[in-house]
Amino acid sequence: MKLTIIAAVTTALLATPVAAAPDFTTLEQEMAARCADGRYSGVITVAVAGQIAFQKACGEGITLDSRFNIFSTSKLLTALAIMALVEDGRMALDAPVATYIDDLPPAWRPVTLRQLLDHTSGLSDESNVLLEAFVTTHADAMKTVLAERQDAPAPATPPGETWRYNNFGYELLAEAAARAG
């Protein structure tokens, strides 16, 4: 069975402009070898100071415009973004998510970032509703869902007491990070 590693997007962002363009020769050579012998299939994009500095796509039917389902890998990236914002002082783990999402339904307001991160919010998983509302952007879909859920019931269990896997909690975290960032 051929092992295919799919890297949707790898991004390196630098806070200050770079005097000279980075040298991607080694990366290009490694990717050429891995693509040629089938050890890699996907898209790599590296941005420097907000500008695309390197792109490569390889694999059957894969182009630079290909999109991949990364599933729960996005949870890791969301958690990293939250922790970076906490470290930077722009978010607090024990702050209610309503601190960052002002249009959160009233019954959900006591839930904290930490409870969303560790799946103990008690909230129902509204992921399917969010997917149905998604037309253009995550932010627009989230605004639609939050507007529709203003009369939502309280969490099924008191926040912080019971672990229950919840994809939507990470959607709320992503929205909170976007608004706080």
Side-chain angles (χ1 to χ4, degrees):
M1 180 174 155
K2 178 176 140 182
L3 176 63
T4 303
I5 300 171
I6 299 177
V9 177
T10 301
T11 307
L13 298 174
L14 303 176
T16 56
V18 178
D23 182 5
F24 292 102
T25 305
T26 303
L27 179 58
E28 175 64 38
Q29 291 170 346
E30 183 66 22
M31 295 317 304
R34 289 175 180 256
C35 290
D37 67 13
R39 290 183 290 153
Y40 178 80
S41 175
V43 176
I44 292 183
T45 299
V46 178
V48 177
Q51 300 297 314
I52 294 175
F54 177 85
Q55 281 190 305
K56 175 126 180 109
C58 70
E60 186 176 332
I62 296 176
T63 70
L64 292 175
D65 294 324
S66 294
R67 296 295 176 255
F68 304 91
N69 291 322
I70 61 171
F71 302 108
S72 289
T73 302
S74 62
K75 287 181 184 66
L76 169 68
L77 301 174
T78 299
L80 285 170
I82 294 290
M83 296 310 291
L85 289 166
V86 167
E87 187 175 60
D88 196 38
R90 293 188 274 171
M91 295 185 97
L93 286 177
D94 293 314
V97 71
T99 304
Y100 312 102
I101 304 176
D102 59 358
D103 50 339
L104 202 67
W108 298 358
R109 291 184 171 275
V111 173
T112 66
L113 296 177
R114 184 184 307 272
Q115 293 161 344
L116 291 173
L117 282 165
D118 66 15
H119 298 281
T120 61
S121 69
L123 296 178
S124 61
D125 193 336
E126 303 288 337
S127 298
N128 288 336
V129 176
L130 183 68
L131 286 172
E132 289 172 15
F134 200 100
V135 176
T136 55
T137 67
H138 184 272
D140 288 342
M142 185 60 76
K143 285 178 186 174
T144 298
V145 170
L146 294 176
E148 292 173 355
R149 296 293 188 262
Q150 285 302 304
D151 294 327
T157 59
E161 285 191 11
T162 305
W163 185 90
R164 191 174 92 212
Y165 193 79
N166 187 334
N167 288 310
F168 187 69
Y170 273 75
E171 299 291 350
L172 287 171
L173 287 166
E175 184 66 19
R179 293 186 188 192

